[in-house]
Amino acid sequence: MSAIRFNRRVVRYFLIAFFVVLFLYVLMTGGGGNSKSSTSAIKKKPWMTTGKLGNFEPKEIIEREGPGEGGHAHHLKPNQENDAAASLSAYGMNMACSDEISLDRTIPDLRMDECKYWNYPEDLPRASVVLVFHNEGWSTLMRTVHSVINRTPPQFLEEVLLVDDFSDKENLKGKLETYIKKFNGKVRLIRNPERQGLIRTRVRGAEEARGEVVIFLDAHCEVGTNWIPPLLAPIYYNRTTMTVPVIDGIDHDHFEYRPVYQAGQHFRGIFEWGMLYKENELPDKEVQRRSFNSMPYDSPTHAGGLFAINRNYFLQIGAYDPGLLVWGGENFELSFKIWQCGGSIQWVPCSRVGHVYRSFMPYTFGKLAEKKKGPLITINYKRVIEVWFDDKFKEYFYTREPLARYLDMGDISEQLALKDRLQCKSFQWFMDNVAYDMREKFPELPPNVHWGEMINKATKECIDTMGHAAPTVMGMSPCHGWGNNQEDISDDKLVRLNAKGQLGVGERCIDADRQGIKLVFCPLGSVEGPWHYDEGDKTLMHKETRKCVALHPQSNNLSLMPCDPINTYQQWVFKEIPSPWH
Ligand code: UDP
Ligand code: MN
């Protein structure tokens, strides 16, 4: 007995002494220890010297005169209208205008003032700036290259790697090869032997890149003042952090350079349940986590085109799912994968890059889309959610996009195996800890009670957005019948009535006021919807006014009328769309 008690006491004293010593040690070394493997002890974080310019700030501000200089709009002469129109329809941007602007033009410094006083470690990793392109205009492509060369300290630029995704424009052939020689090896060009789409082409770029970090940019960008150190610093400190610059807009018609966001306002990337990319103002919790408003902050997702990542890390986590085709969804795949598998994404207010938002997508998906039945981007989304969402969340996607259930997403077993191997966390974890602002903006979707075309009993026509964006009045048009031709499938007539009495079309909602039945922006958050559908009478009653949706026999307009259940102009049936792809 006493021996046991004695031993216990010794053990207890020993443990107490041990923890006291450990505590003092941690206190003295600031938690970092003196071991060489401890990152925080040897890797400096950026530091602020208020009032004194940061170590990589340009010493002088360059001013130039000429078309588009200073990021100002450049307007062509009236006799150039034909060239402008022709290039706009070929490229989705006014190349005739771009061609008159210097490849070295200056752009405004739109950063927060604070950004000028940040200092960064001298030994940041070197980056390959990877530009993938398919039939891009010459001057916008080369202005991207020039801006990177002009505004990147050479010690951080391993190379600009151009990856041609099988362009067939003549000037992107020999002329391009000759032109880049003047950069003395800093600009390298590789070409895909066949069209791969932007997703696979970026992966090829990462594989071929020689820098420790890869920075992807679209082939129509202009990088801003001192853009690179703030992007590299978080990655240098933690190789599993991916960084994203703040994107400015470059007008596709006159090339004015302007901010997308109001000065000092921070946004971050989220999504809605149909997998459309959305942004949300930075939640207070994130604002308070940082000591300066110019510091990087966590973001659940990113827009896709512009980001920096440690090359080996990107390849280790499987880069992009090779089953994703051409364009779309890859930004979510990478975002969910990074967060769920132990990494992080930070948006960097002090790094700004301009991007030309085109007026439309000027290229087709070519042969890549031929083998696929159904809309390619939705197929991509389905792959992404089937791999990364938990079952509960998958339902929200199918509620919002009911036709996606029918789509053939191909084999995802390799992606699931990767998720397993990397011991990734659940989507619930991601929602609770990273994308917690989704709860408010895009809460869980109530299940659909009916979905499909909404047919009027009297005329047999269907309710239709008529191709207009919200806010707009709803119209009527002949129903589709949803034949076998996939081109026929129009989201404008796919209506969903859910358990809360909300009526949705795509990401928008149907509501009513005195002027009629309208397509509106859905109220944010989880609210009771405006409608009650009577399964017996087939009437659709507006709960607030207690009136019913009625079609006017002569004008064919829709409005709210006193309910009259035996009037067929007030009777509506939903016709579910049979699997259009089988
Ligand atoms: N791109 C590509 N192959 C494709 C489609 C696009 O290499 O099949 C390139 C394109 O030239 C651009 C980048 O991928 O540099 C992003 O495409 P885009 O600018 O059309 O996307 P958006 O900015 O509209 O999202
Ligand atoms: Mn683009």
Side-chain angles (χ1 to χ4, degrees):
M1 274 297 274
S2 71
I4 290 168
R5 207 175 298 145
F6 170 71
N7 278 347
R8 271 195 192 151
R9 196 180 297 153
V10 168
V11 167
R12 196 157 64 225
Y13 286 145
F14 178 77
L15 279 177
I16 291 169
F18 176 78
F19 281 116
V20 166
V21 170
L22 186 72
F23 176 72
L24 289 174
Y25 176 79
V26 168
L27 213 65
M28 273 157 38
T29 58
N34 58 3
S35 110
K36 287 250 155 58
S37 65
S38 163
T39 6
S40 53
I42 50 166
K43 289 197 173 173
K44 247 185 177 169
K45 283 196 164 179
W47 65 101
M48 164 79 83
T49 48
T50 311
K52 183 174 175 285
L53 283 189
N55 54 351
F56 293 111
E57 283 298 309
K59 300 291 171 276
E60 53 181 337
I61 294 167
I62 302 166
E63 288 195 38
R64 294 161 47 108
E65 295 284 314
E69 290 296 337
H72 292 300
H74 173 55
H75 298 284
L76 295 175
K77 298 189 192 74
N79 65 2
Q80 293 171 295
E81 259 168 34
N82 283 348
D83 290 346
S87 63
L88 251 171
S89 62
Y91 295 93
M93 49 185 105
N94 187 346
M95 292 309 301
C97 172
S98 173
D99 290 348
E100 293 194 350
I101 299 172
S102 165
L103 300 181
D104 298 306
R105 81 152 169 180
T106 54
I107 50 171
D109 181 0
L110 298 177
R111 296 173 302 166
M112 304 168 66
D113 194 57
E114 251 173 51
C115 295
K116 299 182 186 128
Y117 307 110
W118 280 109
N119 298 266
Y120 300 92
E122 302 280 340
D123 58 338
L124 294 173
R126 285 163 73 80
S128 290
V129 174
V130 176
L131 310 176
V132 307
F133 66 97
H134 174 75
N135 282 340
E136 292 280 345
W138 171 271
S139 57
T140 40
L141 171 67
M142 291 325 296
R143 193 173 296 110
T144 312
V145 175
H146 278 234
S147 81
V148 170
I149 299 277
N150 290 340
R151 300 198 189 102
T152 311
Q155 68 269 34
F156 298 143
L157 186 64
E158 179 70 38
E159 61 185 341
V160 176
L161 180 59
L162 299 170
V163 193
D164 175 12
D165 187 17
F166 205 59
S167 301
D168 51 25
K169 295 236 187 309
E170 210 44 52
N171 61 358
L172 297 175
K173 295 182 178 165
K175 181 182 167 193
L176 181 58
E177 275 153 43
T178 312
Y179 187 86
I180 61 172
K181 289 203 177 108
K182 74 177 199 169
F183 296 107
N184 300 320
K186 270 264 171 176
V187 181
R188 198 150 63 93
L189 170 67
I190 56 175
R191 299 190 196 265
N192 286 344
E194 58 184 299
R195 177 90 181 274
Q196 293 286 346
L198 95 95
I199 300 173
R200 290 179 185 168
T201 308
R202 278 205 204 122
V203 177
R204 166 136 199 253
E207 283 165 351
E208 304 268 351
R210 294 170 181 157
E212 187 178 333
V213 167
V214 281
I215 303 182
F216 294 103
L217 301 178
D218 275 11
H220 33 257
C221 288
E222 291 171 67
V223 300
T225 310
N226 207 8
W227 73 297
I228 212 168
L231 277 188
L232 296 176
I235 301 173
Y236 160 84
Y237 196 72
N238 179 350
R239 67 186 284 278
T240 67
T241 298
M242 168 183 141
T243 54
V244 183
V246 169
I247 307 176
D248 293 313
I250 303 172
D251 192 279
H252 60 76
D253 193 21
H254 52 59
F255 287 81
E256 181 186 34
Y257 190 104
R258 57 177 175 240
V260 171
Y261 311 101
Q262 273 181 9
Q265 270 197 353
H266 292 333
F267 282 80
R268 60 183 208 157
I270 51 171
F271 56 95
E272 57 85 54
W273 294 113
M275 303 317 287
L276 296 176
Y277 173 73
K278 297 285 165 188
E279 289 182 355
N280 184 26
E281 215 170 318
L282 192 64
D284 272 348
K285 191 169 150 188
E286 303 300 323
V287 174
Q288 277 150 23
R289 231 201 273 267
R290 298 138 60 247
S291 38
F292 292 97
N293 204 25
S294 53
M295 287 171 100
Y297 52 83
D298 287 352
S299 175
T301 71
H302 68 292
L306 287 59
F307 65 93
I309 193 165
N310 176 289
R311 175 179 170 276
N312 282 332
Y313 174 64
F314 183 56
L315 298 175
Q316 251 166 32
I317 58 171
Y320 290 125
D321 166 8
L324 296 175
L325 293 167
V326 195
W327 185 102
E330 86 290 350
N331 56 326
F332 295 130
E333 195 241 348
L334 188 59
S335 302
F336 301 151
K337 180 154 64 185
I338 287 178
W339 278 114
Q340 286 175 249
C341 311
S344 61
I345 300 175
Q346 297 202 321
W347 282 25
V348 183
C350 289
S351 178
R352 307 200 50 149
V353 178
H355 169 256
V356 184
Y357 290 91
R358 307 182 207 251
S359 48
F360 68 100
M361 198 184 255
Y363 46 83
T364 63
F365 289 175
K367 281 197 203 125
L368 290 162
E370 269 170 23
K371 282 174 256 146
K372 287 284 157 186
K373 290 181 183 170
L376 208 125
I377 297 170
T378 320
I379 295 177
N380 284 354
Y381 293 158
K382 180 167 177 173
R383 271 187 87 84
V384 174
I385 69 109
E386 281 292 342
V387 175
W388 295 102
F389 281 18
D390 311 340
D391 286 346
K392 164 179 146 189
F393 296 100
K394 288 178 193 170
E395 274 313 302
Y396 304 151
F397 172 68
Y398 291 119
T399 295
R400 165 69 176 74
E401 204 62 83
L403 283 169
R405 273 191 217 274
Y406 301 130
L407 292 168
D408 175 10
M409 64 176 166
D411 183 4
I412 58 165
S413 55
E414 295 240 343
Q415 300 309 305
L416 293 172
L418 177 87
K419 187 179 173 187
D420 214 40
R421 200 162 61 241
L422 298 173
Q423 301 184 351
C424 307
K425 299 189 189 86
S426 68
F427 200 72
Q428 186 72 58
W429 174 88
F430 172 78
M431 292 294 285
D432 290 345
N433 295 282
V434 186
Y436 53 83
D437 37 339
M438 284 284 289
R439 267 196 298 264
E440 228 178 278
K441 299 290 167 182
F442 300 104
E444 317 185 337
L445 284 184
N448 294 330
V449 178
H450 293 289
W451 66 272
E453 289 184 307
M454 195 174 126
I455 307 168
N456 182 266
K457 270 254 181 124
T459 66
K460 306 283 186 294
E461 285 204 326
C462 282
I463 196 162
D464 190 336
T465 69
M466 312 305 278
H468 298 303
T472 184
V473 290
M474 295 294 293
M476 296 295 296
S477 72
C479 302
H480 253 300
W482 307 93
N484 292 321
N485 184 358
Q486 44 173 293
E487 298 302 314
D488 272 343
I489 293 162
S490 133
D491 289 339
D492 297 339
K493 283 200 274 265
L494 200 166
V495 179
R496 310 174 319 266
L497 174 70
N498 73 26
K500 274 199 155 177
Q502 297 163 325
L503 206 52
V505 185
E507 65 168 322
R508 303 294 176 223
C509 285
I510 299 177
D511 203 343
D513 63 14
R514 285 214 192 104
Q515 282 141 16
I517 309 301
K518 286 189 164 166
L519 186 71
V520 299
F521 290 84
C522 300
L524 283 183
S526 170
V527 291
E528 202 54 40
W531 302 105
H532 173 80
Y533 182 64
D534 189 310
E535 299 287 344
D537 296 340
K538 309 288 180 212
T539 52
L540 191 63
M541 188 185 72
H542 191 239
K543 287 189 274 193
E544 190 192 317
T545 55
R546 304 201 67 78
K547 290 183 172 175
C548 286
V549 177
L551 185 61
H552 196 276
Q554 276 88 46
S555 67
N556 213 26
N557 285 340
L558 289 158
S559 64
L560 288 179
M561 298 288 275
C563 294
D564 175 7
I566 54 165
N567 179 349
T568 52
Y569 286 89
Q570 291 193 16
Q571 293 175 354
W572 302 91
V573 288
F574 291 86
K575 187 162 154 251
E576 209 168 286
I577 296 145
S579 167
W581 299 294
H582 289 278

